[in-house]
Amino acid sequence: MNVCVIRKCKTADAKLENYKMQGIVDQRLSVISRFGESVRYYRKQRHLTQEELALLCDFNQHYISNIERGTRNISLRVISVLARALGVRERDLL
């Protein structure tokens, strides 16, 4: 049983390395990071704190912080809510 677990980990690691070589992982992470940077940019343009934006969106301030730092993978619904709160189009955030 332990052999299978170890074997699966090695397989997962190999897949991850393969994805990294193809740029898939880096590309996904860069999209999330760029989105977070856009949210931060528009939030600051409107002179909003993270807490104020969170209140407008009915989110938690920590959630906004995670989005801006690129550590949170969000849904399309969240993109729509953020865009509406910031007064921009969804595509402006991407």
Side-chain angles (χ1 to χ4, degrees):
M1 191 72 139
N2 289 339
V3 174
C4 291
V5 172
I6 292 171
R7 191 171 179 191
K8 285 182 183 177
C9 290
K10 287 183 180 179
T11 303
D13 288 343
K15 285 182 181 179
L16 181 61
E17 285 302 314
N18 187 28
Y19 289 152
K20 282 182 181 178
M21 288 173 49
Q22 295 174 10
I24 294 171
V25 173
D26 294 335
Q27 182 181 14
R28 180 170 177 247
L29 292 176
S30 69
V31 167
I32 295 169
S33 295
R34 284 193 324 256
F35 179 82
E37 290 170 6
S38 294
V39 170
R40 179 178 289 127
Y41 172 79
Y42 286 112
R43 176 180 61 79
K44 288 186 175 191
Q45 286 291 313
R46 280 139 186 85
H47 306 286
L48 295 171
T49 65
Q50 287 181 347
E51 188 173 351
E52 290 168 334
L53 179 58
L55 287 172
L56 288 172
C57 297
D58 198 28
F59 296 152
N60 186 297
Q61 181 269 326
H62 296 288
Y63 188 68
I64 299 295
S65 174
N66 288 339
I67 291 170
E68 289 186 359
R69 287 185 291 120
T71 60
R72 178 67 68 151
N73 190 8
I74 62 171
S75 69
L76 293 173
R77 184 188 67 78
V78 172
I79 293 172
S80 179
V81 170
L82 285 168
R84 197 172 315 119
L86 293 169
V88 297
R89 297 173 296 192
E90 288 91 352
R91 69 178 174 194
D92 294 334
L93 295 175
L94 300 174

